[in-house]
Amino acid sequence: MRKAIRTSLMLAGLVIAFGAASPLRATPLLPGQTVIPDLQNPTAGVVIAFTSQPFTSATFSGTLRASVVRGNATGTLTFYYQVTNNASSLTSLQTLSNFNFDGFMTDAFYRSDAFFGFDIIGTEIPSLADRASDGRTVNFTFTAGNPTGEINPGETTRSLGIRTNATAFTTGISSVIGGGAATVTTFQPTVAPAAVPEPATMILLGTGLAGVAAKVRKRRKATKSDEA
Protein backbone atom coordinates (compact mmCIF):
# COMPACT_ATOMS: atom_id res chain seq x y z
CA MET A 1 0.00 0.00 0.00
CA ARG A 2 2.78 2.43 0.97
CA LYS A 3 4.71 1.53 -2.19
CA ALA A 4 1.64 2.27 -4.31
CA ILE A 5 1.21 5.63 -2.56
CA ARG A 6 4.86 6.55 -3.14
CA THR A 7 4.59 5.59 -6.83
CA SER A 8 1.41 7.66 -7.22
CA LEU A 9 3.02 10.68 -5.58
CA MET A 10 6.09 10.36 -7.79
CA LEU A 11 3.92 10.14 -10.91
CA ALA A 12 1.92 13.18 -9.78
CA GLY A 13 5.17 15.08 -9.29
CA LEU A 14 6.23 14.20 -12.81
CA VAL A 15 2.98 15.47 -14.28
CA ILE A 16 3.31 18.76 -12.39
CA ALA A 17 7.01 19.27 -13.12
CA PHE A 18 6.95 18.30 -16.78
CA GLY A 19 3.50 19.68 -17.49
CA ALA A 20 4.60 23.10 -16.28
CA ALA A 21 7.79 22.93 -18.32
CA SER A 22 6.18 22.12 -21.66
CA PRO A 23 2.72 21.67 -23.14
CA LEU A 24 3.98 18.60 -25.00
CA ARG A 25 2.97 15.16 -23.77
CA ALA A 26 5.63 13.62 -21.58
CA THR A 27 6.36 9.93 -21.03
CA PRO A 28 7.18 9.59 -17.32
CA LEU A 29 9.66 6.79 -16.74
CA LEU A 30 9.53 5.35 -13.23
CA PRO A 31 11.97 2.78 -11.75
CA GLY A 32 11.22 -0.66 -13.16
CA GLN A 33 9.08 0.75 -15.97
CA THR A 34 9.29 0.42 -19.76
CA VAL A 35 7.72 2.98 -22.12
CA ILE A 36 7.62 3.90 -25.80
CA PRO A 37 9.46 7.23 -26.13
CA ASP A 38 7.44 9.90 -27.91
CA LEU A 39 8.53 12.61 -30.32
CA GLN A 40 9.06 16.00 -28.68
CA ASN A 41 10.89 19.17 -29.70
CA PRO A 42 10.89 21.21 -26.47
CA THR A 43 11.68 24.90 -26.66
CA ALA A 44 15.28 25.97 -26.36
CA GLY A 45 17.22 26.14 -23.14
CA VAL A 46 20.85 26.85 -22.32
CA VAL A 47 23.56 24.32 -23.12
CA ILE A 48 25.75 24.04 -20.03
CA ALA A 49 27.83 21.00 -21.04
CA PHE A 50 28.67 19.11 -24.24
CA THR A 51 30.96 16.23 -25.16
CA SER A 52 31.66 14.12 -28.24
CA GLN A 53 33.26 10.78 -27.38
CA PRO A 54 34.54 8.11 -29.79
CA PHE A 55 33.87 4.51 -28.74
CA THR A 56 35.16 1.18 -29.95
CA SER A 57 34.82 -2.54 -29.30
CA ALA A 58 35.99 -5.68 -31.09
CA THR A 59 33.05 -5.52 -33.53
CA PHE A 60 32.00 -1.87 -33.80
CA SER A 61 33.10 1.74 -33.42
CA GLY A 62 31.39 5.10 -33.52
CA THR A 63 30.73 8.38 -31.72
CA LEU A 64 28.49 9.26 -28.80
CA ARG A 65 27.52 12.91 -28.39
CA ALA A 66 26.03 14.09 -25.09
CA SER A 67 24.87 17.44 -23.75
CA VAL A 68 23.17 18.96 -20.71
CA VAL A 69 20.53 21.64 -21.25
CA ARG A 70 19.03 23.86 -18.56
CA GLY A 71 15.39 24.82 -19.17
CA ASN A 72 14.75 28.55 -19.44
CA ALA A 73 11.48 28.42 -17.51
CA THR A 74 12.12 25.72 -14.91
CA GLY A 75 15.91 25.66 -14.39
CA THR A 76 15.79 21.85 -14.50
CA LEU A 77 18.11 19.73 -16.63
CA THR A 78 17.59 17.58 -19.71
CA PHE A 79 20.29 15.12 -20.75
CA TYR A 80 20.66 14.54 -24.51
CA TYR A 81 22.46 11.73 -26.37
CA GLN A 82 23.10 10.81 -30.01
CA VAL A 83 24.85 7.68 -31.29
CA THR A 84 26.59 7.18 -34.63
CA ASN A 85 27.62 3.66 -35.66
CA ASN A 86 30.57 3.90 -38.05
CA ALA A 87 30.16 2.46 -41.53
CA SER A 88 33.17 0.22 -40.87
CA SER A 89 31.48 -1.54 -37.92
CA LEU A 90 30.81 -5.27 -38.23
CA THR A 91 27.64 -5.30 -36.10
CA SER A 92 24.54 -3.23 -35.43
CA LEU A 93 23.88 -1.50 -32.10
CA GLN A 94 20.81 -2.27 -30.00
CA THR A 95 21.08 -0.35 -26.73
CA LEU A 96 22.28 2.93 -25.25
CA SER A 97 22.53 2.67 -21.45
CA ASN A 98 22.95 5.82 -19.32
CA PHE A 99 23.98 5.96 -15.66
CA ASN A 100 23.13 7.29 -12.95
CA PHE A 101 19.60 8.72 -12.48
CA ASP A 102 18.91 7.33 -9.02
CA GLY A 103 16.73 9.64 -6.90
CA PHE A 104 15.50 11.77 -9.82
CA MET A 105 12.33 11.85 -11.88
CA THR A 106 12.81 11.08 -15.57
CA ASP A 107 10.93 11.43 -18.85
CA ALA A 108 12.16 9.74 -22.06
CA PHE A 109 11.66 11.15 -25.56
CA TYR A 110 13.43 11.84 -28.86
CA ARG A 111 13.74 14.88 -31.12
CA SER A 112 13.34 15.26 -34.89
CA ASP A 113 15.75 18.19 -35.34
CA ALA A 114 19.45 18.97 -35.15
CA PHE A 115 19.87 20.17 -31.61
CA PHE A 116 22.46 21.57 -29.18
CA GLY A 117 25.66 20.51 -30.88
CA PHE A 118 24.13 17.47 -32.56
CA ASP A 119 24.61 18.76 -36.11
CA ILE A 120 23.47 15.47 -37.66
CA ILE A 121 19.74 14.82 -37.98
CA GLY A 122 19.72 11.08 -37.40
CA THR A 123 17.18 8.58 -38.66
CA GLU A 124 17.08 5.87 -36.00
CA ILE A 125 14.19 6.04 -33.51
CA PRO A 126 14.22 4.07 -30.23
CA SER A 127 11.55 1.42 -29.92
CA LEU A 128 11.59 1.38 -26.11
CA ALA A 129 13.01 3.18 -23.09
CA ASP A 130 13.31 1.46 -19.74
CA ARG A 131 14.59 2.26 -16.28
CA ALA A 132 16.20 -0.25 -13.94
CA SER A 133 14.23 -1.23 -10.84
CA ASP A 134 16.77 0.58 -8.64
CA GLY A 135 16.27 3.73 -10.73
CA ARG A 136 19.92 4.09 -11.61
CA THR A 137 20.07 3.23 -15.32
CA VAL A 138 17.96 4.56 -18.21
CA ASN A 139 18.19 2.57 -21.46
CA PHE A 140 17.12 3.32 -25.02
CA THR A 141 16.54 0.15 -27.06
CA PHE A 142 16.54 -0.19 -30.86
CA THR A 143 14.75 -3.36 -31.98
CA ALA A 144 14.94 -4.80 -35.49
CA GLY A 145 11.94 -3.65 -37.53
CA ASN A 146 10.44 -1.50 -34.77
CA PRO A 147 10.12 1.32 -35.77
CA THR A 148 13.34 1.98 -37.71
CA GLY A 149 15.30 -1.04 -36.57
CA GLU A 150 18.71 -1.38 -34.99
CA ILE A 151 21.48 1.18 -35.42
CA ASN A 152 23.15 -0.37 -38.44
CA PRO A 153 26.68 0.49 -39.60
CA GLY A 154 26.65 3.99 -41.11
CA GLU A 155 23.49 5.08 -39.22
CA THR A 156 22.88 7.75 -36.56
CA THR A 157 20.09 8.01 -34.00
CA ARG A 158 17.76 10.90 -33.47
CA SER A 159 18.61 13.14 -30.48
CA LEU A 160 17.54 11.12 -27.42
CA GLY A 161 16.37 13.06 -24.36
CA ILE A 162 16.02 12.28 -20.67
CA ARG A 163 14.28 15.15 -18.92
CA THR A 164 14.76 15.32 -15.13
CA ASN A 165 13.91 17.42 -12.10
CA ALA A 166 17.63 17.85 -11.32
CA THR A 167 19.24 21.28 -11.19
CA ALA A 168 22.88 20.15 -11.06
CA PHE A 169 25.02 17.59 -12.88
CA THR A 170 28.31 15.77 -12.67
CA THR A 171 30.34 13.24 -14.67
CA GLY A 172 28.45 10.08 -15.60
CA ILE A 173 28.89 7.13 -17.96
CA SER A 174 27.04 5.74 -20.97
CA SER A 175 27.43 2.35 -22.64
CA VAL A 176 26.73 1.38 -26.24
CA ILE A 177 25.78 -2.29 -26.66
CA GLY A 178 25.61 -4.51 -29.73
CA GLY A 179 27.64 -7.70 -30.15
CA GLY A 180 29.87 -6.27 -27.43
CA ALA A 181 29.92 -3.13 -25.30
CA ALA A 182 31.79 0.17 -25.14
CA THR A 183 31.60 2.69 -22.30
CA VAL A 184 32.40 6.40 -22.43
CA THR A 185 32.24 9.38 -20.07
CA THR A 186 29.11 11.53 -20.32
CA PHE A 187 26.93 13.30 -17.70
CA GLN A 188 24.49 12.45 -14.93
CA PRO A 189 22.26 14.43 -12.55
CA THR A 190 23.37 15.16 -9.01
CA VAL A 191 22.05 16.95 -5.96
CA ALA A 192 22.89 20.65 -5.91
CA PRO A 193 25.26 21.56 -3.04
CA ALA A 194 23.77 23.38 -0.08
CA ALA A 195 24.19 27.14 -0.15
CA VAL A 196 27.12 28.42 1.96
CA PRO A 197 26.39 31.65 3.92
CA GLU A 198 28.34 34.70 2.81
CA PRO A 199 31.15 35.82 5.18
CA ALA A 200 29.25 39.03 5.99
CA THR A 201 26.20 36.98 6.96
CA MET A 202 28.33 34.80 9.25
CA ILE A 203 29.81 37.92 10.90
CA LEU A 204 26.36 39.39 11.51
CA LEU A 205 25.15 36.08 12.92
CA GLY A 206 28.16 35.85 15.21
CA THR A 207 27.68 39.46 16.37
CA GLY A 208 24.01 38.80 17.09
CA LEU A 209 24.77 35.70 19.14
CA ALA A 210 27.43 37.58 21.09
CA GLY A 211 24.93 40.34 21.84
CA VAL A 212 22.36 37.82 23.10
CA ALA A 213 24.97 36.20 25.35
CA ALA A 214 25.95 39.61 26.77
CA LYS A 215 22.32 40.44 27.62
CA VAL A 216 21.89 37.08 29.36
CA ARG A 217 25.00 37.69 31.50
CA LYS A 218 23.80 41.21 32.35
CA ARG A 219 20.41 39.91 33.49
CA ARG A 220 22.04 37.24 35.65
CA LYS A 221 24.23 39.84 37.35
CA ALA A 222 21.20 42.10 37.97
CA THR A 223 19.27 39.19 39.49
CA LYS A 224 22.15 38.33 41.82
CA SER A 225 22.40 42.00 42.93
CA ASP A 226 18.67 42.13 43.74
CA GLU A 227 18.90 38.92 45.77
CA ALA A 228 21.80 40.33 47.73
Side-chain angles (χ1 to χ4, degrees):
M1 179 64 177
R2 291 181 179 177
K3 185 176 180 180
I5 292 174
R6 287 197 298 270
T7 301
S8 297
L9 289 174
M10 189 173 184
L11 181 57
L14 277 167
V15 172
I16 293 171
F18 297 138
S22 171
L24 299 173
R25 183 174 67 86
T27 303
L29 185 57
L30 303 176
Q33 190 176 32
T34 299
V35 299
I36 299 175
D38 46 16
L39 170 62
Q40 296 184 31
N41 290 324
T43 54
V46 178
V47 180
I48 57 177
F50 175 82
T51 186
S52 181
Q53 297 282 347
F55 59 81
T56 185
S57 77
T59 58
F60 62 79
S61 63
T63 302
L64 174 59
R65 289 166 286 277
S67 68
V68 184
V69 176
R70 187 182 303 282
N72 288 333
T74 63
T76 55
L77 305 181
T78 299
F79 296 80
Y80 283 98
Y81 308 88
Q82 187 180 51
V83 179
T84 295
N85 190 6
N86 287 342
S88 58
S89 294
L90 301 178
T91 59
S92 299
L93 307 177
Q94 295 89 34
T95 305
L96 171 64
S97 182
N98 306 293
F99 180 88
N100 175 357
F101 290 83
D102 184 28
F104 296 94
M105 296 183 291
T106 58
D107 158 26
F109 64 98
Y110 67 92
R111 302 184 67 100
S112 62
D113 54 358
F115 188 68
F116 292 134
F118 302 170
D119 53 356
I120 302 173
I121 300 179
T123 57
E124 302 312 293
I125 297 171
S127 53
L128 296 171
D130 69 89
R131 188 172 179 182
S133 57
D134 60 8
R136 304 177 78 184
T137 305
V138 176
N139 306 302
F140 288 96
T141 302
F142 299 80
T143 306
N146 185 17
T148 56
E150 299 175 345
I151 312 169
N152 296 317
E155 294 181 337
T156 297
T157 68
R158 296 287 181 92
S159 298
L160 312 173
I162 303 175
R163 185 160 41 220
T164 74
N165 62 335
T167 57
F169 74 96
T170 187
T171 301
I173 59 174
S174 295
S175 296
V176 181
I177 303 169
T183 300
V184 298
T185 300
T186 53
F187 308 107
Q188 70 175 55
T190 189
V191 177
V196 178
E198 295 292 334
T201 302
M202 296 299 293
I203 292 172
L204 289 173
L205 178 60
T207 302
L209 291 174
V212 171
K215 287 184 178 180
V216 170
R217 287 196 298 269
K218 187 175 181 180
R219 287 179 181 176
R220 286 179 178 174
K221 288 181 180 181
T223 302
K224 288 182 180 179
S225 298
D226 292 340
E227 289 177 352

